[in-house]
Structure formats: structure tokens, C-alpha cells
Amino acid sequence: MTADVADRVVLFSGHMIDAPGRPVERFPARLVPRIARAIGDELDVTGAGCADIGLCGAACGSDLLFAVAALERHMTLRIHLPFDETAFIERSVAIGGERWVELYRRVSETATCIVADDVLGPLPPGADPFTRNNLLMLSEARRIGARAFTFVCVWDGQPGDGPGGTEHLASAVRAAHGEVRIIDIRAFADAPRA
């Protein structure tokens, strides 16, 4: 990857839409409009715009909502995939339904797509692709010459369902002394329905 300069880098991670049959709700589909607004509001608070770069994954739910909000603000968007696109769509996008696959396609037409295997080579035995992808995004965020670096996340503050989730990236950003801005999804889940 070449050296970049931006006014601000916004790194993002957040919960996926709940898969059908998830035993405990975390991000039910009914919260999508509220979470989308909250992400947009957070970008507005940070002053994100056309001189800025957004980095995120592209799973159904928070990632794609951030991607849309970043593109609406004319940010340069780079989506990072832990492995090849076909497998990623099947594993992390299609489980939310066709609407999310269509949204992924629209976003990926405008964004730069970075596949971890293309940058880092094949995944070593025993390594987790999502953890590696988080660290790649953080490395890129720190490498970019920017006036400000912010990590925004949609998170319930709890450990994830597996390795390499939002908790992992939030911990890695804190360890690197980055700013962490949390959109606490629990506040939306507990609020009365609109």
C-alpha cells in the first residue's frame, strides 16, 4: 500500500445484524434506522468529510451502515475483507438477507476493496482471519499521515461471539493510544420503539 495523506482517518467496527435464530438479541433488524442515524451523527460530530478516509469491514449490519454514511459524506472509503470476496459474502453478508448483499454490491462499486490475503499472503495455520483483518486495518489507519485518527464502533461492551470482533479492535486501538468512540447499541435496544 502506498503512503496516503488525509485530514482524518476514521476506523470503524461494529456488530453484525442478528442472524436468524440468534438466542440473545444484540443487533435486531428493527434497530437499523436508529443505528444508521447514530453512525451518521458520530461522523458529523467528528467533522468527517471529503478530505478524510474511512476504513471498515463490510459485514451486514454496522459495517455497511458506516460505509454508506462515509460515502454520503464524500469520504474516501476502503473496505477490508479477511478473505476472498465470494466466501466473505456467503459468511458475513448473505446471512442478513438479500438486502445486505445488494448494499454490499453498491458500496463495493465505490470503495476500494482490500483483501487481507492479497496484502499479507495466505493465512498462517491456526491464525484467525478476522483478527488479522482488524490488525491490518489498524496498521493502515496508523500508517496514513492524518491530523486525527478516530475509532468509532457500534458495540454492546461485551466479548464477541468469536475472535476478531469489535471488542478485539477496540482493545487494539486503546493499546495504540487511539481515540475510541462507542455507540452503545444497548441504549438503542432498551429505548422505546419509534
Side-chain angles (χ1 to χ4, degrees), residues 58 79-94 101 104-109 111-118:
I79 57 175
H80 287 252
L81 305 182
F83 35 73
D84 76 88
E85 184 180 59
T86 301
F88 179 78
I89 290 171
E90 182 180 326
R91 183 168 172 181
S92 298
V93 182
V101 175
Y104 171 87
R105 298 274 186 227
R106 283 200 315 269
V107 164
S108 64
E109 287 175 1
T112 299
C113 185
I114 299 163
V115 179
D117 291 351
D118 294 344

Side-chain angles (χ1 to χ4, degrees), residues 133-176:
N133 200 52
N134 278 351
L135 296 176
L136 177 61
M137 287 192 297
L138 178 56
S139 174
E140 182 181 359
R142 296 182 72 201
R143 178 194 52 74
I144 296 169
R147 175 186 56 80
F149 162 51
T150 304
F151 173 61
V152 176
C153 61
V154 172
W155 185 31
D156 64 3
Q158 301 300 309
D161 293 341
T166 303
E167 177 195 31
H168 169 260
L169 190 50
S171 295
V173 170
R174 285 185 178 120

